[in-house]
């Protein structure tokens, strides 16, 4: 079965992103595939490479990247949600004449069209939110 | 050939409380541009988002009314509210900026049942 | 494969409006799964609020164990592990998340 996920939650305020990650791991283990993981709303603030995770905590963002390395997950961060919250890739940084880019490598900024495309091409779309 | 899926977006928040209603509307516009048939359901406090005479400039916020009024241009004309939720705020359909279908609360379950994908922000 | 909906709820039952909306949305043969803070709703007499509905109620084992409430889960609840949660999402035609 082809899944896509919408993650709409703040990493600091809820467990939802963790639930989504566990769901993804288990579905992959069962042989299912993922068309896309779409990060929307406050979730996008987690994708800053300026974020510091204390040493006794697990950085979920890094866990996504590790999983993506093994399984080719398409991790898309909503561009409108991201720039509004100060999460910029090189291109957006340049476009808006900012001094730096901070989107964590491995994630890609793109529009809501990617969510529409995920709805069209997935058997199941599951939302994890808070 | 990909079969066409019917998408329902559920709104649950009053105006100005969070970005959820705007985020949900943006999904509606994007999906409609991809020819996905979109319906909108405004539950409970979200009916207040449709109330006429809002003056968002007093809060220095952007108004969703313009976007809501533009929905028809995107061929999104399937908007639903629940009778009982309107009544709770002493609203009638005439108080709303959109032309909405009203549903009895008892019909909600079978209404949702008919969709293929539901996003509930 | 069922044509029904899996309702995924992740807040405790003190969020009464959320639960009322979820209850109003339940169709015959739908499923409800309690995850995250909603696993507390699987305890004791709480599941009674779903007893008028012809649905199956599940709760996610990992979230139950994490909260140490495994002895308090009502027998009306089917406890599922993470893999079974994925299977439920395949079994039901679609999901609606309540948060």
């Amino acid at each position: 079965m082809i899944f896509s996920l919408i993650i709409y939650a703040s990493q600091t305020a809820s467990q939802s992103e963790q639930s989504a990650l566990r769901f993804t791991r288990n579905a992959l283990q069962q042989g299912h595939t993922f068309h896309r993981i779409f990060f929307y709303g406050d979730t996008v603030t987690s994708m800053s490479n300026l974020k510091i995770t204390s040493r006794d905590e697990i950085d979920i963002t890094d866990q996504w990247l590790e999983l993506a390395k093994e399984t080719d997950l398409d991790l898309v961060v909503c561009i409108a949600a991201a720039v509004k919250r100060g999460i910029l890739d090189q291109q957006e940084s340049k476009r808006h004449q900012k001094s730096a880019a901070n989107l964590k490598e491995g994630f890609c900024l793109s529009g809501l069209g990617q969510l529409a495309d995920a709805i069209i091409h997935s058997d199941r779309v599951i939302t994890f939110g808070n | 050939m990909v079969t066409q899926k019917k998408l329902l977006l559920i709104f649950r928040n009053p105006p100005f409380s969070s970005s959820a209603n705007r985020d949900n509307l943006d999904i509606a516009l994007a999906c409609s541009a991809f020819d996905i048939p979109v319906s909108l359901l405004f539950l409970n406090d979200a009916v207040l988002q449709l109330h006429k005479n809002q003056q968002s400039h007093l809060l220095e916020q952007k108004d969703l009314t313009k976007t809501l009024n533009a929905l028809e241009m995107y061929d999104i004309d399937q908007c639903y509210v629940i009778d009982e939720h309107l009544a709770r705020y002493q609203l009638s359909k005439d108080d709303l900026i959109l032309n909405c279908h009203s549903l009895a609360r008892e019909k909600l379950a079978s209404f949702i049942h008919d969709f293929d994908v539901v996003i509930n922000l | 494969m069922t044509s029904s909906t899996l309702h995924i709820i992740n807040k405790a039952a003190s969020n009464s409006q959320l639960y009322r909306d979820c209850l109003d949305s339940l169709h015959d043969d739908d499923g409800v799964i309690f995850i995250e803070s909603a696993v507390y709703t699987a305890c004791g007499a709480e599941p009674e609020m779903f007893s008028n509905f012809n649905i199956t109620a599940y709760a996610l084992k990992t979230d139950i164990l994490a909260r140490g409430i495994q002895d308090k889960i009502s027998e009306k609840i089917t406890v599922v592990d993470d893999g079974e949660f994925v299977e439920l999402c395949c079994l039901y035609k679609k999901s609606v998340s309540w948060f």
Side-chain angles (χ1 to χ4, degrees):
Chain A
M1 194 153 274
I2 305 170
F3 283 102
S4 280
L5 303 188
I6 302 168
I7 306 179
Y8 188 78
S10 148
Q11 199 171 78
T12 48
S14 90
Q15 193 201 326
S16 302
E17 203 183 327
Q18 223 282 330
S19 299
L21 179 68
R22 245 172 47 229
F23 183 92
T24 307
R25 280 193 188 127
N26 277 276
L28 289 168
Q29 262 166 26
Q30 291 178 25
H32 300 297
T33 55
F34 283 79
H35 185 71
R36 183 158 298 130
I37 313 281
F38 193 82
F39 297 91
Y40 196 34
D42 283 342
T43 320
V44 306
T45 55
S46 315
M47 283 67 197
S48 163
N49 64 13
L50 300 176
K51 182 181 70 179
I52 312 286
T53 305
S54 66
R55 247 186 268 170
D56 57 350
E57 282 179 38
I58 295 166
D59 185 342
I60 300 173
T61 312
D62 287 342
Q63 306 266 307
W64 282 115
L65 292 173
E66 249 170 66
L67 198 58
K69 231 187 279 168
E70 303 156 13
T71 55
D72 219 18
L73 284 178
D74 188 22
L75 304 175
V76 172
V77 176
C78 175
I79 189 164
V83 298
K84 188 155 63 173
R85 292 170 175 83
I87 307 294
L88 307 174
D89 62 5
Q90 289 293 351
Q91 201 180 338
E92 289 307 301
S93 175
K94 216 167 167 187
R95 187 206 310 274
H96 298 283
Q97 297 169 328
K98 296 293 180 184
S99 56
N102 63 341
L103 177 71
K104 197 144 186 159
E105 201 180 323
F107 293 92
C108 139
L109 290 189
S110 195
L112 278 166
Q114 296 288 316
L115 176 56
D117 169 81
I119 290 170
I120 291 167
H121 292 104
S122 306
D123 300 312
R124 297 288 184 274
V125 179
I126 317 242
T127 311
F128 287 89
N130 76 320
Chain B
M1 174 71 199
V2 180
T3 48
Q4 209 167 39
K5 293 174 193 168
K6 283 170 66 188
L7 171 66
L8 175 66
L9 297 169
I10 304 180
F11 294 71
R12 288 182 286 123
N13 294 283
F16 314 121
S17 62
S18 78
S19 66
N21 288 351
R22 163 160 294 282
D23 293 342
N24 223 359
L25 265 187
D26 288 342
I27 294 176
L29 300 180
C31 287
S32 184
F34 276 66
D35 293 326
I36 299 172
V38 179
S39 298
L40 311 181
L41 169 65
F42 294 85
L43 277 189
N44 289 308
D45 294 352
V47 296
L48 299 166
Q49 183 72 67
L50 301 177
H51 193 213
K52 282 177 180 167
N53 304 325
Q54 291 180 45
Q55 300 188 67
S56 60
H57 64 274
L58 294 173
L59 305 176
E60 296 181 44
Q61 287 207 28
K62 205 166 141 187
D63 206 330
L64 281 194
T65 304
K66 270 187 202 145
T67 318
L68 287 164
N69 280 327
L71 285 174
E72 280 199 349
M73 277 179 3
Y74 287 82
D75 290 325
I76 303 172
D77 52 7
Q78 298 299 311
C79 298
Y80 297 84
V81 291
I82 307 291
D83 294 329
E84 205 175 288
H85 299 168
L86 284 178
R88 181 182 308 155
Y89 293 107
Q90 296 177 301
L91 293 171
S92 76
K93 289 209 281 180
D94 293 339
D95 295 311
L96 307 181
I97 54 173
L98 291 183
N99 199 359
C100 290
H101 304 274
S102 59
L103 287 174
R105 192 166 67 97
E106 298 74 34
K107 300 277 185 220
L108 181 59
S110 53
F111 174 75
I112 291 176
H113 184 76
D114 285 341
F115 287 88
D116 302 299
V117 180
V118 179
I119 298 174
N120 182 8
L121 293 193
Chain C
M1 200 176 302
T2 140
S3 66
S4 308
T5 303
L6 181 66
H7 298 263
I8 304 170
I9 188 160
N10 76 345
K11 293 280 189 295
S14 52
N15 289 267
S16 48
Q17 187 62 59
L18 186 73
Y19 276 74
R20 273 200 294 276
D21 288 340
C22 178
L23 289 168
D24 282 345
S25 304
L26 295 178
H27 192 269
D28 266 357
D29 298 325
D30 278 358
V32 177
I33 181 163
F34 304 114
I35 69 167
E36 302 172 18
S37 298
V39 293
Y40 294 118
T41 312
C43 294
E46 292 275 16
E48 292 298 331
M49 68 173 121
F50 292 88
S51 60
N52 289 334
F53 298 87
N54 181 26
I55 56 128
T56 313
Y58 309 90
L60 194 57
K61 192 176 180 178
T62 309
D63 287 327
I64 291 170
L65 294 175
R67 288 162 179 78
I69 54 170
Q70 56 272 29
D71 299 336
K72 302 194 163 36
I73 301 299
S74 155
E75 52 193 29
K76 293 183 174 154
I77 300 291
T78 307
V79 174
V80 296
D81 64 25
D82 290 340
E84 289 166 325
F85 179 24
V86 173
E87 286 165 22
L88 288 177
C89 289
C90 299
L91 178 70
Y92 289 90
K93 190 184 115 189
K94 65 171 183 285
S95 66
V96 180
S97 297
W98 297 95
F99 52 84

